Every structure is written in structure tokens, then in C-alpha cells.
Amino acid sequence: MERIQLAEAGRRVRARCTTLRRWAFALALFAGMSVFVPGLARADDWGCQVLLCLSNPGGPEQYSACVPPIEKLWAALRHGDPFPTCDFGSGGSQGASATNTFASGGYCREDLLYWGGPEQSELLCRATGAINVDIDNQLYTRVWWDVSGQDRTITEFYGAGGPQVPYDPSRSAALFLQQTEQPDGVAGGGR
């Protein structure tokens, strides 16, 4: 049984490494093309760079080539600009997209929720927003940005062999409230 589990874990690690290599290669190729062939740059290049960087399980700014387009993205989103788009063209990836949802008490990670506002009576989120990246029409990564008002991100990886199971951030508030309503060490009691 242990041998089967080890073999399965090895298969997942190999699949994850293969996926990471493919995305790193695509990002390097795309970055290299945009540097050496500026005459071929299209209007949607920034959106494609953003999509590739956000899909990185190691975080959107893990690679130096991703820092400029992602920093531009954070600035654009903070100013209320629309999320950039990417058209992969005729041979591109169908089902690859990214969408931004601004965070709130109703859409947040459970561990980023807190009580704030007047008299600490409002449920708030420590992140400004979450970007859901879908690849092959499946959630691949979710990036929480501007965590605690800083330029920090939290990346959740859900791709092939990923360690996490997708959850619905719109349900986190209910879970948070259930946990905060239960008194410490007392089961079934009220306040």
C-alpha cells in the first residue's frame, strides 16, 4: 500500500514539474519574443503576459520577467482600470482566462477575514482582490493581491497534481462566523 502511495505521489510531482516547465518555457519564449521583435508586438501582449505570470503556481512575480507586467496590473486595478485581455490567436489556448473579483467580507479567504469598521462591527477582508485563472476551463490558480494593503500576494494552486482543493470564497464568511460564534471550549452554547 505504501509503495502505491509513493508511486502516486511521484506521478503527481512529475506532472506538476512538467506543467511548471511548460509554463516557464512559454513565459520565457513570450518575453524573449517581445524583447527581440518589438515590431511584432500586439496590443494584447500585456494581457497575455499577465495571464502567463498569474498562472505560475510559485506566484505571479516569481520570475523577473513577470515583475513589470504584474506591477503594471496592480497599479491598473488599484485605479479601477479593466482587467487586461489576451487573445492567443488561432492556434492558442481555448479555455484560458483570468478574472478579477474585488475582495470583501462576502468574497475572501477565511484566514484573511477580520472585524473592522465602526465599533469593529463590519466583516472585512485583508486583501484587495482575487484573480481566478482558468486553464482548460478549470480553476488553475487564484491570486489574492494587495494582502494587508501591501504589494503582497497569496497564490493558491489548483492545477494538475496540486495540493489544494478549490473552495468558494463566497462561503468563507459563513464559516468564519460559525467559528467566531462558538465560545472557546464549550460545545453547543450561546453567547
Side-chain angles (χ1 to χ4, degrees), residues 100-174:
N100 178 57
T101 301
F102 285 98
S104 66
Y107 191 90
C108 192
R109 275 174 61 121
E110 189 176 345
D111 63 336
L112 296 178
L113 289 167
Y114 69 100
W115 291 106
E119 300 178 22
Q120 304 298 301
S121 61
E122 190 176 342
L123 193 56
L124 302 172
C125 185
R126 287 188 173 88
T128 300
I131 299 171
N132 294 305
V133 178
D134 290 347
I135 297 184
D136 294 329
N137 297 314
Q138 297 287 325
L139 182 61
Y140 191 79
T141 58
R142 180 179 293 129
V143 179
W144 295 93
W145 58 278
D146 268 359
V147 176
S148 297
Q150 301 170 7
D151 288 334
R152 290 192 12 208
T153 60
I154 298 173
T155 300
E156 301 166 351
F157 174 60
Y158 300 108
Q164 296 183 354
V165 175
Y167 66 96
D168 182 359
S170 65
R171 297 185 35 84
S172 296

Side-chain angles (χ1 to χ4, degrees), residues 5-170:
Q5 290 173 334
L6 286 173
E8 179 62 22
R11 186 194 64 73
R12 285 192 308 254
V13 167
R14 284 189 300 277
R16 187 178 313 152
C17 288
T18 299
T19 301
L20 287 173
R21 278 192 292 263
R22 286 180 185 160
W23 282 102
F25 176 75
L27 178 61
L29 180 64
F30 188 82
M33 284 176 30
S34 63
V35 168
F36 295 115
V37 191
L40 296 179
R42 295 187 319 260
D44 64 353
D45 282 352
W46 175 54
C48 293
Q49 290 172 341
V50 164
L51 182 61
L52 286 170
C53 295
L54 288 170
S55 66
N56 177 19
E61 295 182 84
Q62 179 181 12
Y63 300 109
S64 61
C66 284
V67 174
I70 293 297
E71 288 299 317
K72 180 180 174 183
L73 173 68
W74 301 150
L77 293 175
R78 281 187 209 109
H79 287 101
D81 294 342
F83 197 84
T85 60
C86 174
D87 177 14
F88 281 107
S90 60
S93 174
Q94 298 296 326
S97 63
T99 56
N100 178 57
T101 301
F102 285 98
S104 66
Y107 191 90
C108 192
R109 275 174 61 121
E110 189 176 345
D111 63 336
L112 296 178
L113 289 167
Y114 69 100
W115 291 106
E119 300 178 22
Q120 304 298 301
S121 61
E122 190 176 342
L123 193 56
L124 302 172
C125 185
R126 287 188 173 88
T128 300
I131 299 171
N132 294 305
V133 178
D134 290 347
I135 297 184
D136 294 329
N137 297 314
Q138 297 287 325
L139 182 61
Y140 191 79
T141 58
R142 180 179 293 129
V143 179
W144 295 93
W145 58 278
D146 268 359
V147 176
S148 297
Q150 301 170 7
D151 288 334
R152 290 192 12 208
T153 60
I154 298 173
T155 300
E156 301 166 351
F157 174 60
Y158 300 108
Q164 296 183 354
V165 175
Y167 66 96
D168 182 359
S170 65

